[in-house]
Amino acid sequence: MTTKEQRIIQEEFKNRMNEDELLNCMRCGFCLPSCPTYVESGFKETHSPRGRIALMKAVADGLIEPDADVERSLDLCLGCRACEPVCPSGVKYGHLLEEARDIINQNKKHSLSAKTVRNLVFNELFPHQKRIRAATGLLGFYQRSGLQSFARKTGMLKWLPENLVTMEKVLPEVPTMKEMKNRPSYFSASGVPKKKAAFFTGCLMDTMFLETNNATLRLLQLAGCEILIPEDQACCGALHGHSGEKQSAKELAKRNIEAFENLDVDYIITNAGGCGAFLIDYGHLLQDDPQWADRARDFSAKLKDISEVLYELDFHKNVKLELPSQVITYQDSCHLRNAMKTANAPRTLLKAISGIEFTEMKDADRCCGSAGIYNIVESEMSMQILDHKMVHAKSANAAAIVTANPGCLLQMKLGIEREELSGKVNAVHIADLLLEAAGEK
């Protein structure tokens, strides 16, 4: 980073960072035990929420330069927001982090390779669902054509980083292009309609995890919901917002608000904690835009996770849920718990299943290390966090680890593979498990 870039970034910190929010941090340290990177780094202050806020404040005040060490501290943060529920001052750390990352990324010169990758991911791929579908279709071709078997047998995958080799083993079987394209946009309720809902399909959820989306839709029908699926909805923008591409995130937010705002529905439903946390923050994201601020708040006010809706509609009381005798445990999605404030509903639904024994995993609310693409770009720290998570997962002695977010699901599958527990322990999305328990899978 050049001196000129540092000066610009410092000025942007001064003008754009929320001074009141920075000062709201009392440096009390309640956040420290909840922060995975603080613990895993050997209690390094600059890798804690308190330390990162102090760095942001120092940059804004001109006391330090926004050098590589500051950037590294911010990059290493998972963005899990576990610090927010335990903060006595209610500091919105996630908002501060996103703003700081955006300032740095928009005002520093990226290498040609980094610029190319960022343009491909943030501009050419994720804003376009048809392209995501096509890319997922290529993965499906790899799985079904024999290329996957060939790559594994010949050892071609050994050239990839170890965590990506393991990730390749746990990817779900991708649906066909026909299956991804031929889904209706309206579903009637089973029985007398109780509520009308709109479903946010997501990017990877509606391609790689299409089966889970279909399970979610069926659960909503069984719960008495009519469901509308707007065809012109877009990526939630979480990946952009967390990676210093805030303007692009705003544009995606506006597309989604337009897609949903004229629907006469009681809920806008998501089944991915990471997406939900960003969607419910649209009011903050667009707060400075007079044309969109109120519309964004109205959108977010209707947003609910699938587990909350099922709980509110007494799905667990009205539908018989039963599975073969087994122990199950639950791994919280950080964003579902910390941003959407949803922790009790999924547990209540799981405990209502006859035949299972629910065991609470120690530190179930601690991040698993997935955090979007964190397990790819920050592999070492991610795997360190995952290894500790698997210690607690194994102690639960569960046959199934239930999650509520696709990233968490893959990360837990990755942990199961790393611990050589495949065939003994399974990781499953809560929607898929509930539909199975309802006898429809």
Side-chain angles (χ1 to χ4, degrees), residues 185-406:
S185 58
Y186 172 78
F187 292 81
S188 60
S190 296
V192 179
K194 297 178 181 178
K195 297 287 183 179
K196 184 180 286 186
F199 182 48
F200 182 82
T201 57
C203 300
L204 294 179
M205 286 304 301
D206 215 38
T207 50
M208 189 179 297
F209 297 94
L210 181 65
E211 184 179 348
T212 300
N213 267 6
N214 291 339
T216 300
L217 292 167
R218 183 59 186 147
L219 289 170
L220 290 171
Q221 287 181 291
L222 293 172
C225 287
E226 290 182 82
I227 311 146
L228 302 174
I229 304 178
E231 295 182 0
D232 49 354
Q233 60 183 289
C235 168
C236 67
L239 183 62
H240 299 74
H242 300 328
S243 304
E245 298 286 342
K246 198 171 183 179
Q247 188 56 44
S248 295
K250 289 180 178 180
E251 295 307 315
L252 290 168
K254 292 174 184 178
R255 284 172 57 185
N256 283 320
I257 292 167
E258 284 184 325
F260 284 87
E261 66 182 345
N262 292 322
L263 302 178
D264 181 21
V265 295
D266 301 293
Y267 308 117
I268 298 172
I269 295 173
T270 176
N271 59 3
C275 294
F278 202 76
L279 293 166
I280 209 167
D281 246 358
Y282 276 2
H284 170 77
L285 183 68
L286 297 171
Q287 64 180 345
D288 297 325
D289 191 325
Q291 294 183 353
W292 290 92
D294 288 340
R295 296 162 72 182
R297 283 190 285 269
D298 290 342
F299 173 94
S300 296
K302 290 186 175 182
L303 191 80
K304 284 187 180 293
D305 181 72
I306 173 65
S307 63
E308 283 286 2
V309 174
L310 294 178
Y311 176 78
E312 286 183 16
L313 297 179
D314 288 331
F315 173 82
H316 55 302
K317 298 178 182 178
N318 298 326
V319 177
K320 183 179 179 181
L321 301 174
E322 188 172 7
L323 285 173
S325 179
Q326 60 186 294
V327 177
I328 67 171
T329 191
Y330 180 71
Q331 164 61 26
D332 284 284
S333 156
C334 296
H335 288 103
L336 181 60
R337 184 184 185 102
N338 300 326
M340 296 188 73
K341 314 302 182 186
T342 296
N344 179 62
R347 288 172 165 82
T348 301
L349 293 169
L350 293 173
K351 291 175 182 177
I353 302 173
S354 297
I356 68 99
E357 177 186 342
F358 181 86
T359 299
E360 188 70 43
M361 184 196 306
K362 183 181 179 183
D363 292 340
D365 58 345
R366 180 69 61 88
C367 185
C368 65
S370 173
I373 58 172
Y374 188 93
N375 57 1
I376 297 174
V377 298
E378 297 290 349
S379 174
E380 183 178 354
M381 178 60 77
S382 175
M383 293 303 103
Q384 191 173 331
I385 292 169
L386 176 59
D387 288 344
H388 281 177
K389 172 62 65 177
M390 291 308 298
V391 171
H392 300 316
K394 288 190 293 184
S395 295
N397 292 316
I401 303 171
V402 185
T403 71
N405 185 60

Side-chain angles (χ1 to χ4, degrees), residues 6 33 35 106 153 160 166 174 196 242 271 306 339-340 369 396 407:
Q6 288 182 338
C35 178
Q106 295 305 314
K153 287 179 180 178
L160 294 174
T166 309
V174 173
K196 184 180 286 186
H242 300 328
N271 59 3
I306 173 65
M340 296 188 73

